[in-house]
Amino acid sequence: MSEHHQSQAGGKALQMAFILNISFTIIEFIGGYWTNSVAIMSDAVHDLGDSLAIGVAYFLGRYAMKRADYEYSYGYGRYNVLGALVNSGVLLMGSVFILKEAFSRVLEPQSTHAEGMVGFAILGVLVNGYAAWNLKTKGDSLNEKAVSLHLMEDMLGWVAVLIGAIVMLFFDVPRLDPILSISITIYILIGAVGRLREAIRVLLQRVPEGVDLKELEANLAAIQGVQSLHETHTWSMDGQTHVFSTHLEVDPGISMESVKRIKNEARDILRAYPFVSHTVEIEFKGIEDHDLLGMSDEQHV
C-alpha cells in the first residue's frame, strides 16, 4: 500500500474512531446517570477527552499536508499544542468534578444498577476494542498510533469496570463503584497533567527534550576558527519539530575557505540533533552589523 493510500486509510480510521467514541460518550453519560454509577461517569469524562483528542488528531492530520505559508511560516504544527491544552483542560475540569462526587459516595455509599453496568462495560470493551484495532491496522502516523494507544487504555478501563460490576452482582459492596471511579480518574489526571505540562513547556519555548544546549554550544565553540558564540536559541514548534539558531564569531582576517569549512562543520554537528530547521550566522569580530556575513541553513524532514 502506498504512503498516500495508507494515510487516507489512517484518516478514515481516525474519523470512524471519532464517530464511535463521541457517540458512545453520549451513551455513557446517559448510562452513568441511569445506573447511578460514578465509575461509568468518570470513564465518560475520559472518553470525552479522548473524543476531543481524536477530533484534533483528525483535523491536524489533514493540516499536516499543508506546507508553511505567509501566514504560518513554520507550518501548522502548533495547532497540536493548542489541541493538547484544550483536551487537558477538559479532562482536568471533568476529573475534579468526578473526584468530588466519588469521594462523597465513599463516605455515603449509594446503590448502583449492577446489571446495567455490566451491559455498558461489555459495550465499552467492544466499541473501544474495535476502534483501537481498526486504527492500529490502518493508521501509520504518530498521531494515529498515539490515539490507538488511548483507545486501548479506554478498553482496559472498561475491563476494570466490568470486573467491578460483576463483583457487585454477587456481593453488596456499593463502595466499590466510587473506588473504581477514583482509580480511573487518578489515572486520567496523571496523563492530563503530563500533556498539559508538555504543552506549556512548548508554549514557553523551553529547550526541547533530548537537546543538551551546553554540550551543543561546546561542540560549536570547539570548531577551529570559532572564537565565541552568542544568541544561541533552540525551541520546539509542537513538541516534535525543533528549531535552532546561533551566532558564531570568527576573526576578521579569516579566509572565505575557512568560513565555508566552519559552516560545513557546524552543519555536521547540528545533524546529530533533532532540528528540522537551523540558522547559523557568521560574525566577524569587531565588524559592525551591516558588514556581517549571514549564513542560513535549513533542513526539512
Side-chain angles (χ1 to χ4, degrees), residues 119-149:
F120 275 104
I122 292 173
L123 186 60
V125 170
L126 292 175
V127 170
N128 286 283
Y130 170 75
W133 172 82
N134 190 44
L135 193 55
K136 185 177 181 180
T137 55
K138 295 181 180 178
D140 63 335
S141 73
L142 290 175
N143 259 344
E144 290 157 358
K145 289 178 181 177
V147 172
S148 176
L149 287 175

Side-chain angles (χ1 to χ4, degrees), residues 88 91-92 150 153 185-197:
S88 300
L91 285 174
L92 286 172
H150 276 298
E153 291 168 357
T185 304
I186 289 175
Y187 174 76
I188 295 167
L189 277 173
I190 292 172
V193 170
R195 285 197 295 270
L196 182 62
R197 182 173 59 183

Side-chain angles (χ1 to χ4, degrees), residues 23-208:
S23 300
F24 186 60
T25 297
I26 295 170
I27 294 172
E28 278 184 283
F29 278 115
I30 297 171
Y33 177 79
W34 173 60
T35 60
N36 198 31
S37 170
V38 285
I40 290 180
M41 291 294 281
S42 62
D43 213 281
V45 172
H46 187 192
D47 279 350
L48 176 61
D50 280 350
S51 296
L52 288 172
I54 294 169
V56 169
Y58 176 68
F59 172 78
L60 291 175
R62 299 184 66 181
Y63 261 70
M65 303 300 294
K66 296 184 65 175
R67 296 182 179 273
D69 54 31
Y70 288 109
E71 292 187 22
Y72 294 87
S73 61
Y74 276 112
Y76 291 77
R78 193 154 276 204
Y79 274 99
N80 194 23
V81 183
L82 179 62
L85 286 173
V86 172
N87 294 338
S88 300
V90 170
L91 285 174
L92 286 172
M93 288 186 292
S95 296
V96 169
F97 170 77
I98 292 296
L99 279 176
K100 182 180 177 182
E101 180 69 15
F103 277 116
S104 69
R105 291 204 184 189
V106 170
L107 298 175
E108 298 180 11
Q110 297 183 21
S111 61
T112 58
H113 195 297
E115 293 85 353
M117 287 182 65
V118 170
F120 275 104
I122 292 173
L123 186 60
V125 170
L126 292 175
V127 170
N128 286 283
Y130 170 75
W133 172 82
N134 190 44
L135 193 55
K136 185 177 181 180
T137 55
K138 295 181 180 178
D140 63 335
S141 73
L142 290 175
N143 259 344
E144 290 157 358
K145 289 178 181 177
V147 172
S148 176
L149 287 175
H150 276 298
L151 292 170
M152 286 296 293
E153 291 168 357
D154 288 349
M155 187 185 73
L156 293 175
W158 276 111
V159 170
V161 173
L162 177 60
I163 293 172
I166 291 173
V167 171
M168 285 187 283
L169 276 176
F170 299 99
F171 303 96
D172 185 21
V173 281
R175 281 192 173 89
L176 183 58
D177 178 66
I179 289 172
L180 279 171
S181 173
I182 292 169
S183 301
I184 294 170
T185 304
I186 289 175
Y187 174 76
I188 295 167
L189 277 173
I190 292 172
V193 170
R195 285 197 295 270
L196 182 62
R197 182 173 59 183
E198 183 180 352
I200 291 174
R201 284 176 174 178
V202 171
L203 289 177
L204 294 179
Q205 296 186 326
R206 184 179 184 270
V207 174

